[in-house]
Amino acid sequence: MSVPPSDCGLDVALAIMGGKWKPLILYHLRSGPRRFGDLKRTVAGISEKVLIQQLRELASAEVLVRRDYGEVPPKVDYTVTPFGMTLIEALLPLCEWGVRNRTDASAISNFEGKPERG
């Protein structure tokens, strides 16, 4: 049995960039090509293994392009495709929302899993 498509495209967007790291990677790639080491430093807390995996998945979804310069020592960078830029444009309002609501969201997350006071 096939499930009819929803009138909300979040399923499509989340299939491409879902998870904790992909939106952050895309955010840091929005201003131009970045090398792997630079991404590793700017995406705080991500392991090298996970960064490699996430970059491969984004490249396979044609959201970014991996460019290998074929040099020694190796030089590789990642660039967002025009398709990927449309996704970044969709993410920016969410980023702005997070900046505006950081304090309230932090207060809420401090109480997650704790019993309500009554």
Side-chain angles (χ1 to χ4, degrees):
M1 178 173 164
S2 106
V3 177
S6 164
D7 60 348
C8 175
L10 278 175
D11 54 340
V12 176
L14 291 173
I16 292 174
M17 64 93 210
K20 177 178 179 179
W21 300 111
K22 288 178 187 172
L24 293 170
I25 292 166
L26 290 173
Y27 177 81
H28 290 292
L29 284 169
R30 78 193 183 291
S31 57
R34 306 279 295 262
R35 293 184 65 183
F36 180 85
D38 189 28
L39 284 170
K40 175 91 172 65
R41 281 187 298 279
T42 58
V43 182
I46 193 168
S47 72
E48 189 168 312
K49 176 185 174 185
V50 170
L51 180 56
I52 290 168
Q53 175 188 0
Q54 300 292 281
L55 289 168
R56 283 183 183 153
E57 290 175 9
L58 288 167
S60 112
E62 300 181 5
V63 172
L64 58 83
V65 174
R66 179 185 188 269
R67 183 171 44 181
D68 186 340
Y69 291 85
E71 297 177 0
V72 176
K75 180 180 177 185
V76 175
D77 67 22
Y78 298 86
T79 307
V80 177
T81 64
F83 175 63
M85 284 305 293
T86 64
L87 189 53
I88 290 172
E89 290 168 10
L91 287 172
L92 289 176
L94 189 58
C95 179
E96 292 166 5
W97 181 90
V99 169
R100 282 192 315 272
N101 294 286
R102 186 181 310 268
T103 303
D104 292 340
S106 293
I108 292 167
S109 68
N110 287 336
F111 293 102
E112 283 183 7
K114 296 181 183 175
E116 289 185 32
R117 296 181 192 173

